[in-house]
């Protein structure tokens, strides 16, 4: 995996997140807050979990192992979630832009929120974050579609067709 590959993955991640957030802007506040049977609950819980993953992994890559999680209650409305995500996206893309091929191959150490220490190769963890987001975006897309606001196709091939 090289820097260009990672940049492509993270630009796709941005594009797909935007499609989900744009569709979510069309649901009611009640739909945003509603619970669902997905692993992280409804739209809010699922999106907060996805944002949390991007935030905590970036922090770990920067040498910090947070011990707290972002919580859905911190984002009572989509507007607050979207504002926080825009801030995180800037920080994440600044990190991605700063990478070198050598850094992508390097190891980093971190401690999970449960206190377990790990060592990973950077590019593998970065690929994981995009893949993780794909899972939870698909869950959010299913809920949004049920609410009558499909985000449309979010497959990477559609991003590549537009690039």
């Amino acid at each position: 995996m090289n820097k260009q590959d990672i940049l492509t993955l993270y630009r796709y991640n941005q594009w797909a997140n935007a499609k989900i957030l744009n569709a979510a802007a069309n649901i009611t506040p009640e739909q945003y807050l509603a619970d669902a049977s997905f692993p992280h609950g409804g739209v809010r819980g699922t999106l907060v979990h996805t944002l949390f993953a991007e935030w905590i992994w970036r922090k770990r890559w920067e040498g910090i192992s947070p011990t707290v999680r972002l919580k859905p209650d911190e984002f009572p409305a989509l507007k607050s979630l979207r504002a926080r995500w825009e801030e995180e996206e800037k920080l994440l893309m600044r990190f991605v832009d700063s990478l070198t091929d050598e850094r992508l191959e390097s190891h980093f150490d971190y401690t999970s929120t449960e206190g377990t220490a790990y060592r990973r190769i950077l590019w593998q963890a970065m690929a994981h974050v995009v893949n993780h987001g794909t899972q939870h975006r698909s869950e959010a897309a299913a809920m949004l579609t049920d609410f009558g606001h499909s985000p449309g196709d979010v497959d990477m091939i559609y991003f590549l067709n537009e690039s």
Side-chain angles (χ1 to χ4, degrees):
M1 184 77 62
N2 62 39
K3 181 175 180 172
Q4 189 57 48
D5 295 333
I6 285 291
L7 277 170
T8 300
L9 285 175
Y10 275 81
R11 287 177 183 143
Y12 159 69
N13 194 64
Q14 282 183 294
W15 174 86
N17 284 344
K19 288 189 67 120
I20 295 296
L21 292 169
N22 289 341
N26 296 311
I27 63 174
T28 67
E30 294 77 21
Q31 290 169 326
Y32 170 74
L33 296 172
D35 198 18
S37 62
F38 288 90
H40 297 282
V43 171
R44 175 175 68 167
T46 300
L47 294 178
V48 169
H49 176 74
T50 308
L51 169 60
F52 165 70
E54 292 185 9
W55 169 77
I56 198 166
W57 280 105
R58 178 186 56 80
K59 299 294 273 182
R60 289 169 175 168
W61 302 331
E62 293 174 338
I64 301 165
S65 291
T67 58
V68 297
R69 295 175 171 268
L70 299 182
K71 296 176 181 56
D73 290 344
E74 297 173 39
F75 304 96
L78 181 64
K79 183 177 181 178
S80 60
L81 176 65
R82 194 166 200 158
R84 178 65 177 79
W85 213 320
E86 288 172 3
E87 176 186 318
E88 179 55 38
E89 184 176 84
K90 288 177 189 169
L91 295 169
L92 181 58
M93 293 309 292
R94 186 177 309 140
F95 176 82
V96 173
D97 287 337
S98 76
L99 293 172
T100 63
D101 290 349
E102 293 76 27
R103 175 85 192 274
L104 286 167
E105 294 292 337
S106 70
H107 287 85
F108 72 101
D109 298 302
Y110 70 95
T111 303
S112 71
T113 55
E114 293 80 22
T116 305
Y118 292 95
R119 175 168 252 229
R120 301 273 185 237
I121 298 171
L122 181 58
W123 78 261
Q124 292 174 348
M126 293 186 75
H128 160 73
V129 170
V130 175
N131 188 57
H132 175 268
T134 298
Q135 174 185 341
H136 296 299
R137 281 190 297 270
S138 68
E139 294 168 351
M143 289 181 266
L144 293 167
T145 299
D146 283 349
F147 290 141
H149 299 287
S150 172
D153 292 314
V154 292
D155 288 337
M156 188 172 178
I157 199 70
Y158 292 100
F159 163 75
L160 295 171
N161 288 345
E162 292 181 19
S163 296

